C-alpha cells in the first residue's frame, strides 16, 4: 500500500514502547486513588478526606427538557452526596427553569457537585449562592383544631395565614427563612401536627449579583445565557 513506509522503501518507525523486561512489575505500577461506590464510580480521595460539612445552597439554571430534574437528582445521589432539599420553578425565560438545591457537604464535595452538574447538557449555569442571599421556603401545616383561637394566635405570631379550617383540623401556610420556619413548627407542635408539607429553601442573590456564577439574567423575553 502507498501509505506503508516499509513498502515504499522507507525505514520502519521505531517502536517507542518499553521492552517487556523494562516494564514495571505489578507492585511498581501506579494505581488510581480512591475507592469505588456501589455503582462502581470512583470517589475522589480529596472529597472523602476529613473536612467539616456545611450547609450550602446551589442554584442551577437549566433548559426545560424532559427528565432534567431526574438527571440532576440522580447524578447527585449516585455520588452519595447529601441532599437536604430540592426545588424547581420557572424563570423570566419561558424555556428555562431554576433548580435550587440545599446540600450538607464538605467544601470539596460541594465543588464536585457543581462540576458534575455543569457537565449535564441542559445545565446553563450552576454555582453556590452567596451567603447573604435572599432565601425563603414554604410550609403547609395541618394541626388539630380543638383550640382554633390559640392556633390563630400562633399563626399571626409567625406572619402566617390560615388556608383551611374545619371542626377537627386547621391548615396554615408559613413562609420565611429556615430558622423562622423551624421555630414556627416547634410552636405548633403543642396542638398536635397531623400533616406537614415543606418545600425547602429557594434563593436569589442580592442586588445585581448573579444568583448562579456567570449567569446573565434575561430581560424582556431575551434568552438567559452565560455572561461572556
Amino acid at each position: 500500500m502507498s501509505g506503508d513506509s516499509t513498502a515504499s522503501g522507507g525505514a520502519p518507525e521505531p517502536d517507542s514502547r518499553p521492552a517487556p523486561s523494562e516494564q514495571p512489575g505489578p507492585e511498581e505500577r501506579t494505581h488510581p486513588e480512591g475507592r469505588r461506590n456501589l455503582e462502581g464510580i470512583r470517589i475522589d480521595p480529596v472529597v472523602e478526606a476529613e473536612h467539616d460539612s456545611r450547609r450550602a445552597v446551589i442554584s442551577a439554571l437549566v433548559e426545560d427538557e424532559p427528565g432534567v430534574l431526574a438527571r440532576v437528582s440522580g447524578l447527585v445521589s449516585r455520588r452519595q452526596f447529601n441532599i437536604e432539599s430540592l426545588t424547581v420553578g420557572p424563570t423570566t425565560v419561558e424555556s428555562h427553569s431554576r433548580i435550587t438545591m440545599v446540600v450538607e457537604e464538605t467544601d470539596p464535595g460541594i465543588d464536585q457537585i457543581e462540576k458534575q452538574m455543569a457537565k449535564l447538557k441542559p445545565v446553563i449555569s450552576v454555582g453556590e449562592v452567596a451567603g447573604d442571599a435572599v432565601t425563603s421556603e414554604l410550609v403547609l401545616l395541618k394541626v388539630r383544631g380543638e383550640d382554633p383561637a390559640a392556633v390563630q394566635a400562633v399563626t399571626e405570631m409567625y406572619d402566617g395565614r390560615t388556608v383551611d379550617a374545619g371542626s377537627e383540623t386547621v391548615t396554615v401556610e408559613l413562609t420565611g427563612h429556615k430558622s423562622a420556619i423551624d421555630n414556627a413548627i416547634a410552636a405548633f407542635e403543642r396542638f398536635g401536627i397531623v400533616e406537614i408539607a415543606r418545600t425547602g429553601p429557594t434563593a436569589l442573590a442580592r442586588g445585581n449579583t448573579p444568583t448562579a456564577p456567570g449567569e446573565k439574567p434575561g430581560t424582556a423575553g431575551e434568552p438567559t445565557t452565560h455572561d461572556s
Side-chain angles (χ1 to χ4, degrees):
M1 296 178 61
S2 59
D4 190 332
S5 60
T6 304
S8 61
E13 300 235 357
D15 190 346
S16 59
R17 293 176 299 177
S21 59
E22 299 175 348
Q23 294 181 2
E27 68 283 353
E28 299 174 337
R29 295 173 185 167
T30 58
H31 299 280
E33 296 182 355
R35 65 180 179 88
R36 294 182 183 273
N37 63 17
L38 296 178
E39 284 73 30
I41 301 171
R42 192 171 297 281
I43 300 174
D44 190 329
V46 176
V47 175
E48 199 171 40
E50 289 296 327
H51 291 272
D52 292 332
S53 295
R54 65 182 179 86
R55 189 170 178 270
V57 180
I58 296 175
S59 180
L61 194 68
V62 302
E63 297 175 354
D64 289 335
E65 292 185 6
V68 62
L69 183 60
R71 292 177 64 184
V72 169
S73 60
L75 180 149
V76 177
S77 62
R78 281 198 307 272
R79 283 155 178 78
Q80 300 181 343
F81 293 119
N82 301 311
I83 302 178
E84 182 178 306
S85 67
L86 189 152
T87 62
V88 60
T91 69
T92 57
V93 180
E94 184 178 350
S95 61
H96 294 161
S97 293
R98 184 180 302 282
I99 294 176
T100 305
M101 182 166 54
V102 180
V103 298
E104 183 74 25
E105 271 297 335
T106 62
D107 283 330
I110 294 167
D111 184 60
Q112 283 294 311
I113 292 172
E114 295 176 7
K115 288 180 178 178
Q116 294 299 322
M117 287 181 63
K119 294 178 181 179
L120 295 178
K121 182 178 178 295
V123 175
I124 300 169
S125 182
V126 59
E128 183 178 358
V129 183
D132 62 344
V134 179
T135 62
S136 184
E137 66 173 304
L138 166 71
V139 62
L140 294 175
L141 198 67
K142 185 186 292 183
V143 300
R144 300 193 183 281
E146 285 88 351
D147 193 350
V151 171
Q152 181 62 26
V154 175
T155 301
E156 293 176 356
M157 182 187 305
Y158 289 96
D159 297 323
R161 68 187 186 98
T162 301
V163 293
D164 182 68
S167 59
E168 296 182 356
T169 62
V170 177
T171 302
V172 300
E173 176 187 277
L174 302 164
T175 58
H177 192 271
K178 179 182 183 298
S179 59
I181 296 294
D182 289 340
N183 292 337
I185 291 174
F188 278 105
E189 285 178 348
R190 62 181 172 135
F191 304 113
I193 296 176
V194 179
E195 290 180 314
I196 185 171
R198 190 169 180 175
T199 64
T202 189
L204 288 177
R206 293 184 183 275
N208 293 327
T209 303
T211 298
E215 176 186 344
K216 182 180 179 182
T219 56
E222 297 174 0
T224 308
T225 60
H226 285 292
D227 193 0
S228 52

